[in-house]
Amino acid sequence: MPVLDGVEAVALLRRRAPGCKVVMLTTFDDEDYVVRSLRAGATGYLLKDLPSQELAAAVKLAAAGVAQFDPAAAARLAAVLDRSDSRREPLTVREVEVLRLVAAGATNKEIAERLHLSEGTVKNHISRILGRLGLRGRTQAALYAQSNGLV
């Protein structure tokens, strides 16, 4: 890209439109680029060799809040998360329940209804989960849950 690279473009989009969902579509399949993309605010990370029908489905799911990741990119991110596991506090049983539902793509409202909690309590649980695990958002939380066999 002539003016910005993909990571810079994601960061700019997220600053200008914080509610937008950005799925990185790239040829770069390396750990650093995956991590930088997520830190910039990407909702997903897909490689350009993805068939067009799968790409269209992935974009629709990402718009609905479900993170979309190329399996190799997810594995690279899981490796990064695994390396930093030793400094994390364990989650409570309730936090694990909330994390599983986040990983399944449930909204805060859906989680609240399913677990008979208020949406505010769900938000508090998610904030604690992110803090304890050292994650930046729901996408990373979903990947963590997947890579640790919680879903």
Side-chain angles (χ1 to χ4, degrees):
M1 294 174 41
V3 178
L4 302 172
D5 73 11
V7 173
E8 293 168 331
V10 169
L12 179 63
L13 282 168
R14 297 284 292 148
R15 278 195 307 274
R16 291 190 179 169
C20 78
K21 307 284 192 234
V22 179
V23 177
M24 195 69 144
L25 183 63
T26 181
T27 58
F28 297 111
D29 183 22
D30 66 83
E31 181 180 292
D32 180 60
Y33 206 72
V34 173
V35 171
R36 288 181 42 231
S37 298
L38 293 175
R39 285 190 176 139
T43 302
Y45 194 97
L46 300 171
L47 297 179
K48 286 186 177 180
D49 62 356
L50 189 67
S52 60
Q53 287 180 328
E54 288 181 39
L55 176 59
V59 169
K60 288 176 185 174
L61 286 168
V66 179
Q68 299 297 300
F69 284 87
D70 175 83
R76 290 186 191 335
L77 185 59
V80 170
L81 295 175
D82 286 344
R83 285 196 296 273
S84 59
D85 265 350
S86 61
R87 65 178 183 263
R88 295 187 178 139
E89 294 180 43
L91 299 178
T92 66
V93 171
R94 179 61 90 184
E95 289 167 345
V96 171
E97 290 174 320
V98 170
L99 179 57
R100 283 184 171 134
L101 292 169
V102 167
T107 65
N108 288 351
K109 182 177 181 180
E110 292 166 339
I111 295 169
E113 289 171 359
R114 176 105 182 249
L115 299 179
H116 307 288
L117 303 170
S118 72
E119 284 187 64
T121 300
V122 171
K123 289 178 185 178
N124 289 338
H125 280 305
I126 292 171
S127 292
R128 280 195 301 275
I129 290 165
L130 297 176
R132 285 186 178 180
L133 298 177
L135 305 173
R136 293 184 48 125
R138 293 175 82 98
T139 300
Q140 286 185 347
L143 286 169
Y144 176 88
Q146 184 179 26
S147 70
N148 285 279
L150 297 177
V151 290

